[in-house]
């Protein structure tokens, strides 16, 4: 501080000014130590650099580099896709929009839940701390009464298109029409050979009914406890200092992990960060679901391999604590948990790059807790399987595999051997030489009732096997 004393003596600066200057220098030193020498500080720096790269995702959306000229610039202009998404929609807002969607699925004006959320997201600038149920109710009433349309309502909203694309990339595959297997005792008369509601002697144990509602599931099977908190973006230090780009769900080793959405297996095997991990790509290619730290010795449902197709709700693996090691099949995670991650992909160049878009899943998992798939133990094995199936119209029809119908195979040797081909990076990538259309197996098989008369009812809570509860 001799510098300040010299200034005071030669420039006649007051003592108070010198004290203020000294405090500012000390504050800057403390801030520097925090940012560069502590894990929380590293997380702040990482987030700041991320935001600096994508400060306005709507600006320069065509990906053009101002320094490029000629052919390079023309090629860059053809890349018109979103570069960054901050998904901050609350579970309460998702739940309200979802129920409005389901309640109007057979009305003259069918409200789309993603449209409603995108409208509010545009109004709030993406900040759903401003959310109030009456805001959504007001716009829903205008739409239902025919006073306006979503197109008319949003035509002057500069950023509505961005929010619709961003929120749609997360949510578009989660609600729609599907077939669900339910107990005969819960089926309408039209679906039963006897024609008697609730079933009669001679009726099958289960039947298939058509539903409209939530066809995505919580990653943890029904009846298995877990705990979680909002840990997206917190500091991690194994390997290198970085942000945690996922959501940890703490549970018991062996807890069945289920597919959130129907899709195909894009990555399977060992990763030094995620341990035994599994990556599933949605059929529209916009979502990559990442399930990591699976169980030692028996991480996956038998029969799964890269390219396998899974239905939403299928058991795909088992919670564990593998990872943080270059040595395969190593338990190096202190607390057993599922690392569940969601990557958005607007252009294939974003996959396995420095421009990956991972979004917070905390509020999404809270919302998906409405729909947890029931699983039963496969006797004589280490596996579980879903109790009731669904048929997503997006999934090609394939024969059943042992992983979803009948006794499960005893050995995990084949899928574990395939792990050697997996990339050793934090976020595992796709296998480009395996076309999405090729489906070796993995889809459930079960009794299929002959097509009954048209009938549908909404699902608003619980597994598809549960009776409708549209007003809870």
């Amino acid at each position: 501080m001799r510098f300040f004393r010299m200034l005071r003596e030669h420039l006649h600066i007051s003592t108070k000014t010198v004290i203020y200057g000294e405090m500012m220098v000390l504050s800057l030193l403390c801030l520097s130590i925090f940012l560069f020498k502590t894990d929380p500080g590293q997380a702040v720096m990482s987030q700041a650099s991320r935001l600096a790269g994508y400060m306005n995702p709507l600006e320069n959306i065509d990906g053009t580099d101002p320094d490029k000229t000629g052919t390079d610039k023309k090629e860059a202009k053809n890349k018109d896709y979103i570069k960054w998404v901050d998904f901050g929609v609350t579970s309460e807002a998702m739940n309200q929009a979802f129920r409005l969607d389901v309640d109007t699925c057979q009305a003259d004006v069918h409200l789309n839940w993603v449209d409603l959320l995108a409208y509010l997201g545009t109004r709030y600038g993406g900040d759903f701390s401003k959310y109030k149920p009456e805001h959504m109710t007001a716009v829903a009433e205008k739409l239902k009464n025919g006073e306006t349309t979503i197109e008319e309502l949003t035509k002057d909203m500069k950023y509505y298109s961005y929010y619709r694309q961003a929120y749609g990339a997360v949510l578009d595959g989660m609600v729609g029409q599907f077939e669900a297997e339910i107990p005969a005792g819960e089926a309408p008369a039209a679906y039963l050979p006897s024609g008697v509601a609730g079933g009669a002697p001679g009726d099958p144990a289960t039947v298939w009914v058509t539903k409209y509602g939530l066809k995505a599931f919580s990653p943890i099977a029904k009846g298995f406890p877990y705990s979680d908190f909002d840990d997206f973006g917190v500091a991690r230090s194994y390997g290198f200092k970085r942000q945690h780009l996922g959501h940890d769900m703490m549970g018991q080793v062996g807890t069945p992990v289920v597919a959130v959405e129907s899709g195909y297996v894009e990555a399977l095997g060992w990763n030094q960060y995620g341990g035994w991990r599994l990556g599933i790509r949605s059929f529209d290619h916009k979502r990559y679901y990442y399930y990591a730290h699976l169980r030692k010795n028996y991480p996956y449902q038998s029969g799964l391999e890269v390219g396998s197709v899974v239905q939403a709700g299928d058991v795909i693996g088992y919670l564990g604590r593998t990872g943080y090691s270059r040595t395969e099949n190593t338990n190096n995670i202190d607390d057993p948990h599922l690392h569940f991650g969601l990557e958005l992909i607007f252009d294939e160049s974003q996959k396995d790059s420095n421009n990956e878009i991972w979004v917070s899943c905390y509020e999404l998992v809270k919302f998906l807790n409405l729909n947890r798939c029931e699983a039963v133990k496969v006797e004589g094995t280490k596996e579980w399987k879903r109790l009731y199936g669904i048929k997503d119209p997006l999934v090609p029809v394939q024969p059943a595999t042992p992983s979803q119908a009948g006794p499960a195979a005893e050995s995990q040797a084949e899928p574990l051997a395939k792990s050697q081909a997996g990339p050793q990076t934090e976020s595992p990538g796709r296998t480009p030489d395996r076309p999405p259309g090729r489906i070796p197996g993995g889809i459930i098989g079960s009794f299929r009732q002959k097509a009954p008369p048209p009938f549908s009812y909404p699902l608003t809570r619980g597994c598809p096997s549960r009776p409708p509860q549209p007003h809870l």
Side-chain angles (χ1 to χ4, degrees):
M1 300 302 170
R2 292 178 57 188
F3 175 74
F4 289 105
R5 286 197 293 269
M6 291 173 60
L7 286 178
R8 184 178 58 184
E9 293 171 359
H10 291 86
L11 300 179
H12 306 290
I13 298 174
S14 67
T15 303
K16 184 182 292 186
T17 302
V18 172
I19 292 173
Y20 285 153
E22 291 175 341
M23 290 176 62
M24 182 172 292
V25 170
L26 288 171
S27 298
L28 290 173
L29 286 172
C30 291
L31 181 60
S32 299
I33 292 171
F34 169 75
L35 291 176
F36 295 103
K37 298 296 184 182
T38 67
D39 286 346
Q42 289 288 310
V44 171
M45 291 290 286
S46 177
Q47 179 69 0
S49 62
R50 181 180 175 88
L51 290 175
Y54 305 105
M55 189 58 69
N56 186 349
L58 301 170
E59 216 169 71
N60 197 30
I61 195 170
D62 61 1
T64 305
D65 185 340
D67 295 330
K68 288 187 177 181
T69 57
T71 304
D72 289 343
K73 192 168 184 179
K74 289 179 181 178
E75 290 177 358
K77 283 188 175 181
N78 293 329
K79 295 287 187 178
D80 184 15
Y81 55 87
I82 290 175
K83 310 300 191 301
W84 177 65
V85 173
D86 183 11
F87 185 71
V89 183
T90 62
S91 58
E92 292 81 8
M94 282 186 270
N95 188 49
Q96 184 185 10
F98 164 67
R99 291 176 186 276
L100 286 167
D101 187 315
V102 170
D103 289 345
T104 59
C105 69
Q106 294 179 326
D108 293 336
V109 178
H110 179 197
L111 303 179
N112 182 290
W113 74 309
V114 184
D115 288 350
L116 294 172
L117 292 171
Y119 170 78
L120 290 186
T122 309
R123 279 186 54 180
Y124 301 153
D127 180 7
F128 269 79
S129 66
K130 302 174 184 176
Y131 162 74
K132 293 182 179 179
E134 51 266 32
H135 293 168
M136 191 178 297
T137 300
V139 68
E141 289 302 316
K142 288 182 179 180
L143 293 170
K144 287 193 292 184
N145 294 337
E147 297 177 31
T148 186
T149 63
I150 194 67
E151 292 77 17
E152 183 68 22
L153 199 63
T154 60
K155 66 178 183 179
D156 295 323
M157 288 183 158
K158 181 179 179 181
Y159 298 137
Y160 174 77
S161 175
Y162 163 76
Y163 283 103
R164 183 58 183 84
Q165 289 182 64
Y167 292 175
V170 179
L171 303 172
D172 271 341
M174 296 188 177
V175 172
Q177 185 170 305
F178 60 97
E179 290 182 74
E181 184 185 20
I182 66 172
E186 298 175 1
Y191 280 85
L192 298 168
S194 66
V196 177
D203 284 339
T206 64
V207 295
W208 291 88
V209 298
T210 302
K211 290 189 176 186
Y212 180 92
L214 185 58
K215 57 180 183 176
F217 290 84
S218 166
I220 300 294
K222 183 179 180 181
F224 289 84
Y226 72 88
S227 61
D228 62 348
F229 63 95
D230 189 359
D231 57 347
F232 186 81
V234 302
R236 290 289 187 268
S237 58
Y238 172 79
F240 61 97
K241 291 185 182 296
R242 64 194 189 283
Q243 286 182 289
H244 182 233
L245 299 179
H247 180 62
D248 288 348
M249 305 174 73
M250 321 304 288
Q252 300 171 343
V253 172
T255 293
V257 175
V258 305
V260 168
E261 183 183 349
S262 301
Y264 60 92
V265 177
E266 193 172 73
L268 179 147
W270 183 261
N271 175 282
Q272 67 165 312
Y273 299 96
W276 293 123
R277 93 306 191 205
L278 187 64
I280 295 178
R281 189 77 169 265
S282 63
F283 286 116
D284 64 5
H285 292 196
K286 292 182 180 179
R287 288 168 297 286
Y288 177 75
Y289 296 96
Y290 181 54
Y291 309 82
H293 306 313
L294 301 180
R295 179 173 60 184
K296 182 177 180 179
N297 296 327
Y298 211 106
Y300 309 114
Q301 193 77 341
S302 59
L304 284 184
E305 60 181 12
V306 172
S308 294
V309 164
V310 296
Q311 292 265 16
D314 281 357
V315 176
I316 55 175
Y318 301 92
L319 187 149
R321 58 187 193 92
T322 60
Y324 283 13
S325 174
R326 293 182 179 273
T327 303
E328 278 193 7
N329 209 33
T330 300
N331 276 339
N332 228 7
I333 303 294
D334 293 334
D335 300 312
H337 68 273
L338 170 68
H339 171 106
F340 173 61
L342 174 57
E343 181 185 1
L344 305 183
I345 302 150
F346 297 93
D347 184 85
E348 206 60 34
S349 65
Q350 295 173 309
K351 194 75 169 63
D352 299 321
S353 73
N354 292 327
N355 301 317
E356 295 173 349
I357 303 174
W358 295 87
V359 296
S360 173
C361 296
Y362 177 65
E363 293 291 336
L364 181 62
V365 165
K366 284 170 65 177
F367 169 70
L368 291 176
N369 198 50
L370 289 171
N371 201 22
R372 297 182 68 181
C373 195
E374 192 169 355
V376 293
K377 189 78 167 64
V378 180
E379 293 301 325
T381 75
K382 296 181 179 181
E383 297 194 346
W384 293 70
K385 66 176 182 178
R386 68 187 306 158
L387 182 58
Y388 299 111
I390 72 163
K391 293 175 182 175
D392 190 332
L394 296 176
V395 178
V397 176
Q398 291 290 315
T401 67
S403 66
Q404 299 300 339
E410 287 289 325
S411 173
Q412 290 276 295
E414 183 178 350
L416 297 190
K418 295 178 182 294
S419 67
Q420 300 293 340
Q424 290 296 310
T425 58
E426 185 177 12
S427 49
R430 69 189 295 267
T431 304
D433 59 343
R434 179 69 68 109
R438 185 164 184 263
I439 306 162
I443 157 177
I444 66 159
S446 186
F447 171 77
R448 182 182 179 88
Q449 181 74 5
K450 291 182 179 180
F455 174 82
S456 67
Y457 55 80
L459 166 70
T460 59
R461 188 184 179 102
C463 267
S465 59
R466 295 190 58 176
Q469 303 174 54
H471 301 298
L472 291 182

